Amino acid sequence: MSENVRVRFAPSPTGPLHMGGVRTALYNYLFAKKHNGTFVLRIEDTDQTRYVANAEQYIIDSLEWCNIPFDEGPGKNEKYGPYRQSERKHLYKQYADELIEKGWAYYAFDTAEELDAHRKDHEANGKTFIYNWHNREKGRLVNSLVLSSEEVEQRIANGDKYVVRFKTPQDETLILQDEVRGTIKIDTNTLDDKVLFKSDGMPTYHLANIVDDHLMKISHVIRGEEWLPSLPLHTLLYKAFEWEAPKFAHLSLILKPVGKGKLGKRDGDKLGFPVFPLQYTNEETGNVTRGYKEDGYFAEAFVNLLALLGWNPGTEQELFSLEELTQAFDLARVSKSGAKFSPDKAKWFNQQYLQQKSAEELTELFLPILNSQGVEADKNYVQNVVGLVKERANFVNDLSELSNFFFADPTEYDLKAAKKQWKETTGELMTELVSVIEGIEDYSIENAQTEIKGWITSKEIGFGKVMQPLRLSLVGKLAGPDLFEIMTMVGKETTIKRIQNAIAALG
């Protein structure tokens, strides 16, 4: 790609960043990095009524955790700054005025009550009220297309509230190109005259978005499909300003795990999984919302699963490093249809990444958890434990339950397993087994295995009659890694003590 690629992620700071937003940021980042371009973060805070104070920092922290940091943005390489729209509001009025001068926009003085009356009147007649070419110049609506220039000036001078509306052309067919969806045709007669500048002196998203993308030299706009209905207006705005439009790509939705519909912010709470990258605390209510990080997901697993929600590499490969994603990513392979999110698949991704980590890496993550539980253990011992149990773990936190018997004697026993495996004669067998273990001088895995298995064979009984009760004694349930690994890890004295405890508890 010969042109200088510049993309932007432009969220509104109205709350925590949804995973769908993170995916949009990720696709922008991957596209920029693949083409040696620039990834810009712009905070679109023109809607001050919904502004949340800590949301911007949350967005930045989320991108950092995902390892997809922005190249330009608030406080960072402000080449085309400022990067908060609220700090750019002085720019937009001149562009609204320019559109009015060119005949592409007009002043509208209609009050909210008047517009509501028009809507109700239309509804009463089975129609839908649309402010556009059909009625804007008939005289019932109050705007600069029907008022004289003197009347307009007088109204503005009097302080009458007004908005600036875009004058959508009549009887035209727009041929739009989307990098994901191909060619789209739109009849301009179906469009309304959107408000570009509000009565409070702030631009709407439509005007600010176009002006900022132009001034920041954005080459590609990669955004969610909820903005697809805005594409005709945005394309017309570029035409009106006589600016070259960027290429557009609209991403499909991330869908709920069950049924149809967009995966919403409340679905996670209902179905028991996070939909935000990081835990979020609402400063007003104090409510805490779960995050992938705090739920134990690795950032690289979270990014990997997001990448494949709507993009197909064209191969069977599912596990990608960020570098591999960058090399493989192609807008042409982004799906037009929504991608259903699977919580089970998300866990699978994390499990895959956990298995790729060495016991040494996992030990560094596991030690603080043990310490928080009051367990103090030698680092090498913990590393050996991790090596034995990691294959059964999906999350680092799972290591705790999978390995607790390596750090403390069982205090209770699985009653269902005990009922099945601990018979009337088991206590006698276990007492005899204690004597066998006491006689093992070199207490290694090999020696313990040889002596115990030899003893079982000599008694001509099934191995299960001894090995299952032994596991129950050492672990408290019928789970865990190789039994002789456990025995030698906890040591001879502890092994004997646990067998004796089980005999006392189970008979």
Side-chain angles (χ1 to χ4, degrees):
M1 195 168 288
S2 58
E3 65 181 303
N4 182 23
V5 169
R6 289 178 58 81
V7 298
R8 76 342 184 241
F9 176 52
S12 298
T14 55
L17 181 61
H18 185 271
M19 59 192 289
V22 181
R23 187 194 60 172
T24 298
L26 173 64
Y27 285 8
N28 275 278
Y29 174 89
L30 295 175
F31 186 80
K33 296 309 159 189
K34 180 166 186 174
H35 299 291
N36 298 312
T38 303
F39 174 47
V40 177
L41 174 66
R42 186 171 71 229
I43 302 298
E44 303 207 331
D45 56 350
T46 54
D47 187 352
Q48 291 293 300
T49 60
R50 297 174 61 219
Y51 176 79
V52 176
N54 61 340
E56 181 183 321
Q57 190 57 50
Y58 178 92
I59 291 166
I60 293 170
D61 291 344
S62 296
L63 296 180
E64 291 288 342
W65 178 66
C66 292
N67 197 29
I68 52 173
F70 55 93
D71 301 308
E72 292 175 22
K76 185 177 181 181
N77 301 326
E78 296 211 8
K79 187 176 179 181
Y80 297 102
Y83 288 83
R84 296 183 190 93
Q85 283 188 337
S86 61
E87 296 172 8
R88 300 170 63 84
K89 60 184 178 182
H90 61 284
L91 295 170
Y92 306 117
K93 180 68 165 62
Q94 68 186 75
Y95 290 100
D97 291 343
E98 181 182 331
L99 289 174
I100 292 171
E101 289 171 19
K102 288 182 172 181
W104 280 98
Y106 57 93
Y107 297 105
F109 298 94
D110 314 273
T111 65
E113 293 76 18
E114 288 169 341
L115 292 175
D116 189 49
H118 285 304
R119 288 190 193 95
K120 287 179 179 176
D121 182 55
H122 276 67
E123 286 173 9
N125 292 292
K127 299 177 181 178
T128 301
F129 173 71
I130 302 176
Y131 203 129
N132 66 359
W133 63 273
H134 181 69
N135 52 26
R136 65 193 174 202
E137 296 181 57
K138 285 185 176 179
R140 293 185 66 191
L141 297 171
V142 188
N143 56 57
S144 59
L145 299 177
V146 295
L147 298 173
S148 67
S149 57
E150 290 79 16
E151 286 177 298
V152 171
E153 288 176 13
Q154 188 60 53
R155 280 176 173 267
I156 293 174
N158 290 342
D160 288 8
K161 287 195 170 185
Y162 66 85
V163 298
V164 176
R165 288 183 179 273
F166 185 72
K167 188 180 178 184
T168 307
Q170 184 180 348
D171 300 329
E172 288 187 17
T173 299
L174 297 179
I175 309 298
L176 312 174
Q177 294 298 324
D178 187 276
E179 298 297 294
V180 172
R181 295 156 196 277
T183 302
I184 303 169
K185 292 184 180 181
I186 298 291
D187 177 0
T188 59
N189 289 343
T190 64
L191 305 175
D192 60 338
D193 290 356
K194 291 289 187 192
V195 173
L196 300 179
F197 207 79
K198 297 180 286 188
S199 58
D200 63 1
M202 287 290 279
T204 61
Y205 168 86
H206 303 293
L207 178 64
N209 175 275
I210 297 305
V211 169
D212 287 346
D213 281 349
H214 172 70
L215 296 179
M216 294 180 182
K217 302 186 184 300
I218 300 302
S219 64
H220 295 75
V221 172
I222 304 170
R223 60 189 180 186
E225 72 171 25
E226 62 268 27
W227 296 112
L228 194 57
S230 302
L231 182 58
L233 171 61
H234 294 177
T235 302
L236 286 168
L237 279 167
Y238 278 103
K239 180 181 178 182
F241 282 120
E242 299 175 17
W243 295 338
E244 182 181 352
K247 289 184 171 67
F248 289 93
H250 289 85
L251 310 175
S252 59
L253 298 174
I254 297 178
L255 305 175
K256 301 172 190 270
V258 289
K260 296 181 180 179
K262 178 182 177 182
L263 179 67
K265 294 183 176 183
R266 294 182 180 86
D267 290 318
D269 292 334
K270 289 179 186 174
L271 300 172
F273 58 84
V275 295
F276 304 115
L278 308 178
Q279 181 175 287
Y280 178 78
T281 302
N282 186 309
E283 290 187 336
E284 291 184 7
T285 64
N287 289 341
V288 178
T289 309
R290 290 166 62 183
Y292 275 88
K293 178 185 178 183
E294 291 75 15
D295 265 27
Y297 284 82
F298 298 116
E300 53 267 42
F302 177 62
V303 166
N304 197 155
L305 76 90
L306 277 185
L308 293 174
L309 280 173
W311 168 76
N312 184 337
T315 66
E316 295 298 313
Q317 184 177 348
E318 290 189 277
L319 300 179
F320 290 84
S321 67
L322 195 57
E323 179 59 33
E324 287 172 327
L325 283 174
T326 301
Q327 295 304 316
F329 186 74
D330 187 344
L331 281 175
R333 300 204 66 86
V334 172
S335 174
K336 298 175 187 177
S337 55
K340 189 177 287 188
F341 171 70
S342 167
D344 290 336
K345 190 68 173 180
K347 290 178 182 177
W348 177 85
F349 272 108
N350 207 70
Q351 191 259 354
Q352 295 297 307
Y353 276 88
L354 187 146
Q355 300 311 317
Q356 289 180 3
K357 293 189 182 297
S358 67
E360 188 175 3
E361 288 176 288
L362 292 173
T363 297
E364 293 298 329
L365 299 171
F366 185 39
L367 279 171
I369 297 173
L370 285 175
N371 292 337
S372 71
Q373 296 170 347
V375 175
E376 292 186 16
D378 176 73
K379 187 174 180 180
N380 289 330
Y381 178 78
V382 174
Q383 190 168 312
N384 288 334
V385 169
V386 169
L388 289 174
V389 302
K390 62 174 276 196
E391 67 180 29
R392 296 174 179 83
N394 292 322
F395 302 94
V396 173
N397 281 338
D398 292 345
L399 296 174
S400 184
E401 186 176 348
L402 290 168
S403 68
N404 53 15
F405 51 87
F406 280 108
F407 305 101
D409 296 340
T411 55
E412 54 186 34
Y413 302 91
D414 183 331
L415 294 179
K416 188 176 179 181
K419 188 175 181 180
K420 186 176 181 181
Q421 301 296 338
W422 202 281
K423 308 298 182 183
E424 285 186 19
T425 57
T426 300
E428 294 176 16
L429 277 174
M430 291 294 103
T431 301
E432 203 173 324
L433 176 59
V434 167
S435 299
V436 173
I437 294 172
E438 285 175 336
I440 303 172
E441 292 186 7
D442 179 9
Y443 195 68
S444 64
I445 291 176
E446 294 78 11
N447 288 343
Q449 193 166 355
T450 300
E451 292 293 330
I452 292 173
K453 286 187 174 181
W455 168 71
I456 294 172
T457 301
S458 69
K459 291 190 71 66
E460 297 183 346
I461 57 174
F463 275 77
K465 288 187 176 181
V466 174
M467 302 303 282
Q468 296 288 58
L470 176 55
R471 182 174 292 279
L472 197 59
S473 303
L474 295 176
V475 178
K477 54 188 176 183
L478 300 180
D482 180 79
L483 201 48
F484 295 103
E485 294 269 15
I486 298 173
M487 290 174 63
T488 52
M489 283 281 290
V490 301
K492 185 175 179 177
E493 288 183 11
T494 297
T495 299
I496 292 170
K497 181 177 69 170
R498 290 188 184 184
I499 296 172
Q500 291 171 336
N501 289 344
I503 293 169
L506 301 173

